[in-house]
Amino acid sequence: MGAVKSKRMPRAVREQQMLDAAVQTFGQRGYMAASMDEIAELAGVSKPLVYLYLNSKEDLFIACIRREAKALVEAVRAGARPVLPADRQLWAGLTAFFTHTARHPDGWAVLHLQARTHGEVFAAEVAAMRADIVTFVTELILAAAREALPQALGCSPKLSTSLEQGGPPRAGGTPTDPHLPGGEVAGLAEALVGAAEALADWANSTPGVTARQASATLMNFAWAGLGDLMAGRPWSPPDGEGPDTGSGADMEDAGAGAVVHAGRTSPAR
Amino acid sequence: MGAVKSKRMPRAVREQQMLDAAVQTFGQRGYMAASMDEIAELAGVSKPLVYLYLNSKEDLFIACIRREAKALVEAVRAGARPVLPADRQLWAGLTAFFTHTARHPDGWAVLHLQARTHGEVFAAEVAAMRADIVTFVTELILAAAREALPQALGCSPKLSTSLEQGGPPRAGGTPTDPHLPGGEVAGLAEALVGAAEALADWANSTPGVTARQASATLMNFAWAGLGDLMAGRPWSPPDGEGPDTGSGADMEDAGAGAVVHAGRTSPAR
């Protein structure tokens, strides 16, 4: 279908349509079960055209991984707000992440399930993206730690500025914050990313769990900690605004005005 | 080699030797690169004997996954100490987990890397184990939440007793702790397990990071939370004993007498 129509499209547009169809098919049916026939039909093009553009099923899958990885990393980076206090930055980053994975469940399935299940070549593609995100999170935690203790460290919080400008972290080697040394920060970043991955899988596979709830759960876990949660002290933003009981569908400005209370953010079941 | 010697062994012993060799080979060389020749030689038996006992490379790999999954789950369950306060329970469970993954890096690589990278059949085996652990962690968090608020809930902390006895969680449906409702607890368990998986990968692939350090990092992250860490308030056990700067090799009683301070538990680098 659509052969005449598709001839009028620029190559880049048609290729994106093929990738859209491929991500949907790989994400929902799995890499092995997905067929090139199915993907071509969903994209509204002929199978030979898919091969002409993307070469093979393997190359098409890799193109999907790369596109979805780039989109996810960009969404998380765009969500970071270095001008905010550390807890608000984390909340903004988490909501950006879970909003993206909730809106692109097939893309997330390609990245976190399919790509890692079907061979080392695909797994390596995802590992590279994951390393990017861990580095980014490490920088954010370091920046937050420095801001928390500028006097104790005798330095001003400059790292957040370099992040704001999209630049690399400051040169000068391993930071020596007495509370959060480099090795500890690297471990914390791994823990945070691992927790976020697990929660994205859980949110996307559990009916009724919204992006907002997943963000709130991880915010409470990562910022307040189980200790404070057990004592009935979830995280809440410093401005003390009232609870936002939105459904999670509208999270563009989720960093503002949210009160994340465990008792309010969990699905009723 | 060892044909005469191996004939004297009972089948069960010889099979364990084959599995030992297979876990080591799969874990270190990867599922695809590992050969049955190599595994047979390492086990000191003939290749036909490996096929006779374990049938095929796929079946051998599944036997490895099941053995390593069982050992890991048993180690974590054995590490749990329901008589302790919630934070000490978590510390005991985390040290049990990271001690096991540090001592059995090939087993962990089989479970968390190889099994998930080489097809849906293997991935499903690991997913079953993971679900067991998430359920167990969910029960522990629920028990801790109930203990933290027995008066508010009007019930005594019985769940820890049923866990102590190895029994299932109490019947009676979803708990209704106002601070930690069921959906929130399920999410917290997912976050904790995801963070632990990521940290085990990180600890096993980062020179100088011990099981103790991984446990300490996750304890600080999960219990104290980033908020308290930023403010220089890491978790420490209630008995206030001095810092234990042990190397992590001797963690049998890691639940006792440990002070987990971020500044002390990170590798010097």
Side-chain angles (χ1 to χ4, degrees):
Chain A
M1 66 181 186
V4 174
K5 182 184 168 197
S6 63
K7 275 184 183 158
R8 280 191 241 113
M9 292 180 197
R11 174 171 176 139
V13 174
R14 207 151 25 172
E15 198 169 299
Q16 287 306 311
Q17 288 183 337
M18 292 179 196
L19 290 176
D20 288 343
V23 167
Q24 182 180 331
T25 310
F26 287 136
Q28 293 181 11
R29 291 178 48 74
Y31 176 68
M32 299 302 277
S35 76
M36 295 295 268
D37 284 304
E38 202 174 357
I39 291 167
E41 189 180 334
L42 189 60
V45 299
S46 67
K47 189 161 77 165
L49 196 66
V50 179
Y51 280 104
L52 180 69
Y53 278 28
L54 279 315
N55 197 42
S56 66
K57 185 176 175 182
E58 290 72 23
D59 285 354
L60 174 59
F61 192 49
I62 285 182
C64 290
I65 295 171
R66 288 183 181 162
R67 189 183 77 165
E68 296 305 310
K70 186 163 176 279
L72 177 58
V73 170
E74 283 176 359
V76 172
R77 286 191 175 265
R81 303 182 185 184
V83 295
L84 293 176
D87 60 336
R88 300 296 291 263
Q89 274 190 53
L90 179 59
W91 174 241
L94 293 179
T95 53
F97 173 77
F98 288 112
T99 301
H100 186 88
T101 55
R103 285 182 180 166
H104 304 91
D106 297 332
W108 177 247
V110 162
L111 289 177
H112 197 245
L113 188 60
Q114 295 302 323
R116 304 205 307 184
T117 311
H118 297 288
E120 285 152 13
V121 173
F122 304 141
E125 290 284 338
V126 177
M129 171 206 72
R130 191 181 189 283
D132 273 359
I133 290 189
V134 169
T135 301
F136 179 63
V137 171
T138 303
E139 290 164 5
L140 287 181
I141 295 176
L142 277 175
R146 285 192 179 132
E147 281 177 9
L149 293 163
Q151 300 87 348
L153 294 172
C155 67
S156 56
K158 290 288 189 210
L159 186 54
S160 65
T161 308
S162 83
L163 286 172
E164 195 177 2
Q165 294 164 350
R170 277 190 301 182
T174 315
T176 52
D177 178 329
H179 287 296
L180 286 175
E184 180 82 358
V185 171
L188 293 171
E190 287 285 347
L192 182 56
V193 171
E197 291 172 326
L199 275 175
D201 285 350
W202 173 73
N204 281 3
S205 64
T206 308
V209 177
T210 64
R212 180 177 195 80
Q213 287 158 355
S215 309
T217 295
L218 189 47
M219 190 68 204
N220 277 330
F221 182 70
W223 192 265
L226 291 173
D228 278 351
L229 286 187
M230 297 294 174
R233 295 191 297 268
W235 176 79
S236 62
D239 61 13
E241 290 179 25
D244 176 353
T245 54
S247 68
D250 178 21
M251 295 186 62
E252 259 58 43
D253 196 30
V259 167
V260 183
H261 188 292
R264 291 192 180 94
T265 57
S266 292
R269 49 178 180 167
Chain B
M1 65 183 190
V4 174
K5 184 183 167 197
S6 65
K7 276 186 182 156
R8 278 191 244 113
M9 292 180 197
R11 175 172 175 138
V13 174
R14 208 152 23 172
E15 197 168 301
Q16 287 307 310
Q17 288 183 336
M18 291 179 197
L19 290 177
D20 288 342
V23 168
Q24 183 179 330
T25 309
F26 287 135
Q28 293 181 10
R29 291 177 48 72
Y31 175 69
M32 298 302 278
S35 75
M36 295 296 269
D37 285 303
E38 201 174 359
I39 291 166
E41 191 180 333
L42 188 62
V45 300
S46 67
K47 190 162 75 165
L49 196 66
V50 179
Y51 279 105
L52 181 68
Y53 277 30
L54 279 314
N55 196 42
S56 67
K57 185 176 174 181
E58 289 72 24
D59 285 354
L60 174 59
F61 192 49
I62 285 182
C64 289
I65 295 171
R66 289 183 180 163
R67 190 183 78 164
E68 296 305 309
K70 186 164 177 278
L72 177 58
V73 171
E74 283 176 359
V76 172
R77 286 190 174 265
R81 304 182 185 186
V83 294
L84 293 176
D87 59 336
R88 300 296 290 265
Q89 275 189 52
L90 178 60
W91 174 241
L94 292 179
T95 54
F97 173 77
F98 288 111
T99 301
H100 186 87
T101 55
R103 285 181 179 165
H104 304 92
D106 297 333
W108 178 247
V110 162
L111 288 177
H112 197 244
L113 189 59
Q114 295 303 323
R116 305 205 306 182
T117 311
H118 296 288
E120 285 153 12
V121 174
F122 304 141
E125 290 283 338
V126 176
M129 172 206 71
R130 192 180 189 284
D132 272 359
I133 290 189
V134 169
T135 301
F136 179 63
V137 171
T138 303
E139 291 165 6
L140 288 181
I141 296 176
L142 276 175
R146 286 193 179 132
E147 280 176 9
L149 293 163
Q151 300 87 348
L153 294 173
C155 67
S156 57
K158 292 287 188 209
L159 185 55
S160 64
T161 308
S162 82
L163 286 171
E164 195 176 2
Q165 294 164 349
R170 277 190 300 181
T174 315
T176 53
D177 178 330
H179 286 296
L180 287 175
E184 180 83 359
V185 170
L188 292 171
E190 286 286 347
L192 182 56
V193 171
E197 290 172 327
L199 274 174
D201 285 350
W202 173 75
N204 281 3
S205 64
T206 307
V209 176
T210 64
R212 179 175 196 80
Q213 287 158 358
S215 308
T217 295
L218 189 47
M219 190 67 203
N220 278 328
F221 182 72
W223 191 266
L226 290 173
D228 278 352
L229 287 186
M230 297 292 173
R233 295 190 298 267
W235 176 80
S236 61
D239 59 15
E241 289 179 27
D244 177 352
T245 55
S247 69
D250 178 21
M251 295 187 61
E252 257 59 44
D253 196 29
V259 167
V260 183
H261 188 290
R264 291 192 179 93
T265 56
S266 292
R269 51 177 178 165

